[in-house]
Amino acid sequence: MGENFERLVGDYLQALWDAAMDDHIRLALSRAVESFRRNRAAAFKLYPWVEEKAERLREVKDYSLLHVDELAREVKDRVEDLHGNCIIAETVEEAMEYIGDQVKPGDVVVKAKSITSEELHLNPRLEELGCKVYETDLGEFIIQNLGSRPMHILSPAIHVSRERVAELFSKVMGREFPPDIPTLAGAAREFLREKFLEAKVGISGANAIAAETGTTFLIGNEGNTRLVTGLPEKHIVIAGLEKIVPTLQDGMLVVEVVSRYANYKAPAYVSLISGPSKTGDIEKQIVYGAHGPREYHVVLLDNHRREMIKDPVYRQALRCLRCGACLYECTIYPLVAGYYGYLYMGGIGAVFTKYLIGGMENAAPIAYTCTLCGRCKEYCPMKIDVPEMILKLRSELAERGLVPERVRGNVEEITGRKLE
Ligand code: SF4
């Protein structure tokens, strides 16, 4: 294990170094951080009570995590009442098996941004089943065509400069594009239009799910989410159990807090979806599948989340709203983008990596990259104490001997303990 572990750490450090030396990444990140801070300041000035709302939401999220089993059952009952289907999947395999049953070879699948779907490695698995998958969020579309992975939980292509996007689109679409952002956004719109119309299945994540009505909340700005969830015959929602909140009002609270902390005064769109489309306009007889999807499926994913909930220190990570504020304020992230992590990044990413995607070995280098500066906690709407979690994680890593060679001396000096 020692050699493999050191190789993994070596690859990780090499990726960090390459990213830090990449002028495109530095340029794109510096532009993004500056614009994020400016927009967030404007949103907070206009809605100064958002911090008070975030405090209320913290209580809602804590309550929801401690009552997750009953709330998940409530979601399932409500969704099924409204002619939808809902499963509570313990594992990624279970979730994938269910989703696999909803598609056929040859299906065009359009996706709205869903980081939870990455836990399932959904795109390659759907492709293995013979589907053609299109990411429709502009950032995800760029990432998919680059053959890369998301580099920010909210803005996946944050590290890609307009110059690089122009090169990529020119190659993918077979004509030259200038590095002009409105032109590039227009090109993606034109390319994806027909995919929306061809798609049999639309897959989205969820920003929140209200248990009392089984309603999925989706925040969007590009308009792609509405097309993904409205045009195909089937809509599948994939959401971690931590997205469940008790009431519709709580869901709205999530919308408000996420939007402002994610630097938007108000998102262009908020969709509330509680079932397949239907009509009763002919003789009051209800038929499912009017203008929107005929089928609505909700996959609630556990994938070790219940295990996290049992731990009072790690549980707080599940309050995370994926607003991305912590990454912009991190001391490391703006230098190296999402190479500071795997699927989930930054200090909090180390904890998610341990539980949701890569296990302890993959979490280790991320945990040792964190400087414990605490800026993330300061800017986090959910006041998640990342340094506290990182210290706990490092101590667990030390117990298992998962301490990278180059920091062993420091760890032994600080703890006064000789590592195995
Ligand atoms: S940890 Fe906090 S700041 Fe970071 S994405 Fe989650 S909610 Fe936002």
Side-chain angles (χ1 to χ4, degrees):
M1 187 217 279
E3 214 174 287
N4 283 345
F5 178 62
E6 285 305 328
R7 193 169 315 122
L8 184 146
V9 173
D11 291 348
Y12 171 84
L13 287 177
Q14 187 61 51
L16 279 193
W17 177 257
D18 292 346
M21 293 296 117
D22 186 321
D23 290 341
H24 278 284
I25 293 183
R26 209 171 18 252
L27 179 66
L29 260 295
S30 62
R31 284 171 180 162
V33 170
E34 196 190 316
S35 126
F36 174 83
R37 287 185 179 153
R38 194 176 49 244
N39 293 342
R40 185 187 50 197
F44 273 47
K45 193 163 167 215
L46 201 57
Y47 306 102
W49 49 87
V50 65
E51 290 182 73
E52 206 180 296
K53 295 209 170 185
E55 206 174 311
R56 255 178 35 222
L57 182 56
R58 280 201 293 281
E59 287 166 19
V60 170
K61 294 290 273 184
D62 281 340
Y63 172 91
S64 308
L65 291 172
L66 291 172
H67 295 81
V68 71
D69 289 334
E70 62 191 75
L71 291 173
R73 274 196 303 275
E74 205 179 334
V75 172
K76 184 168 164 58
D77 290 347
R78 294 289 78 77
V79 169
E80 289 173 357
D81 262 1
L82 290 171
H83 216 78
N85 300 291
C86 176
I87 67 151
I88 303 167
E90 301 268 326
T91 61
V92 294
E93 288 74 23
E94 212 180 303
M96 204 48 235
E97 196 182 322
Y98 181 84
I99 296 166
D101 287 344
Q102 310 311 319
V103 298
K104 297 190 300 300
D107 277 354
V108 170
V109 177
V110 283
K111 276 184 73 206
K113 189 163 50 202
S114 158
I115 199 155
T116 312
S117 76
E118 305 273 351
E119 289 174 37
L120 310 180
H121 303 289
L122 186 65
N123 293 9
R125 289 192 179 182
L126 287 175
E127 278 158 15
E128 277 165 26
L129 294 171
C131 301
K132 188 85 191 109
V133 186
Y134 293 94
E135 294 286 353
T136 64
D137 168 86
L138 179 56
E140 290 283 356
F141 178 71
I142 293 168
I143 291 299
Q144 187 183 28
N145 283 290
L146 272 178
S148 174
R149 61 183 172 87
M151 285 286 160
H152 184 275
I153 47 177
L154 198 65
S155 310
I158 189 107
H159 60 305
V160 190
S161 64
R162 69 190 79 173
E163 292 78 9
R164 211 168 250 183
V165 177
E167 266 170 46
L168 175 74
F169 281 13
S170 304
K171 202 161 112 205
V172 170
M173 298 175 202
R175 60 192 159 108
E176 279 304 305
F177 290 103
D180 170 66
I181 297 172
T183 307
L184 296 168
R189 172 193 163 99
E190 200 184 307
F191 181 86
L192 287 168
R193 251 329 87 161
E194 69 191 55
K195 314 298 178 208
F196 284 120
L197 293 169
E198 279 172 35
K200 294 280 182 233
V201 180
I203 297 182
S204 74
N207 291 97
I209 299 188
E212 68 176 353
T213 51
T215 303
T216 293
F217 285 70
L218 282 161
I219 303 172
N221 282 298
E222 296 181 11
N224 65 315
T225 305
R226 296 217 152 185
L227 297 171
V228 164
T229 61
L231 279 178
E233 285 168 18
K234 288 186 190 186
H235 172 203
I236 303 174
V237 179
I238 305 172
L241 285 170
E242 78 280 14
K243 295 292 172 64
I244 306 173
V245 290
T247 67
L248 277 172
Q249 289 301 325
D250 297 328
M252 282 313 299
L253 196 56
V254 172
V255 171
E256 262 195 274
V257 176
V258 176
S259 310
R260 308 278 149 69
Y261 277 82
N263 93 154
Y264 297 112
K265 288 177 187 153
Y269 305 101
V270 178
S271 303
L272 275 65
I273 303 167
S274 310
S277 67
K278 62 187 176 202
T279 176
D281 278 358
I282 303 177
E283 296 181 5
K284 282 287 158 223
Q285 192 177 322
I286 301 285
V287 288
Y288 291 89
H291 296 287
R294 183 169 302 154
E295 292 181 28
Y296 174 65
H297 302 265
V298 178
V299 178
L300 297 172
L301 183 64
D302 179 345
N303 188 24
H304 305 293
R305 286 165 168 84
R306 284 183 177 117
E307 208 182 314
M308 283 179 83
I309 292 172
K310 285 190 196 128
D311 186 301
V313 175
Y314 292 135
R315 182 192 308 143
Q316 56 183 321
L318 290 174
R319 282 192 220 131
C320 177
L321 304 172
R322 316 280 197 266
C323 71
C326 54
L327 296 178
Y328 292 110
E329 299 301 340
C330 174
T331 41
I332 305 290
Y333 177 85
L335 302 174
V336 293
Y339 293 98
Y340 174 17
Y342 292 98
L343 172 58
Y344 292 103
M345 50 215 72
I348 193 165
V351 178
F352 287 138
T353 300
K354 172 191 167 186
Y355 282 99
L356 308 184
I357 194 96
M360 290 290 262
E361 281 197 31
N362 285 303
I366 315 175
Y368 282 100
T369 310
C370 177
T371 61
L372 302 174
C373 69
R375 279 173 63 80
C376 46
K377 181 181 173 192
E378 201 182 314
Y379 286 92
C380 172
M382 296 293 100
K383 295 289 169 237
I384 296 170
D385 194 338
V386 172
E388 183 188 21
M389 294 190 295
I390 292 287
L391 286 173
K392 178 168 170 127
L393 183 53
R394 284 187 189 174
S395 137
E396 291 170 356
L397 291 164
E399 270 163 33
R400 292 184 190 205
L402 291 171
V403 179
E405 198 55 54
R406 56 204 86 203
V407 292
R408 288 179 87 87
N410 295 352
V411 173
E412 287 176 345
E413 196 183 318
I414 293 165
T415 60
R417 249 190 320 146
K418 185 94 189 113
L419 295 170
E420 289 300 308

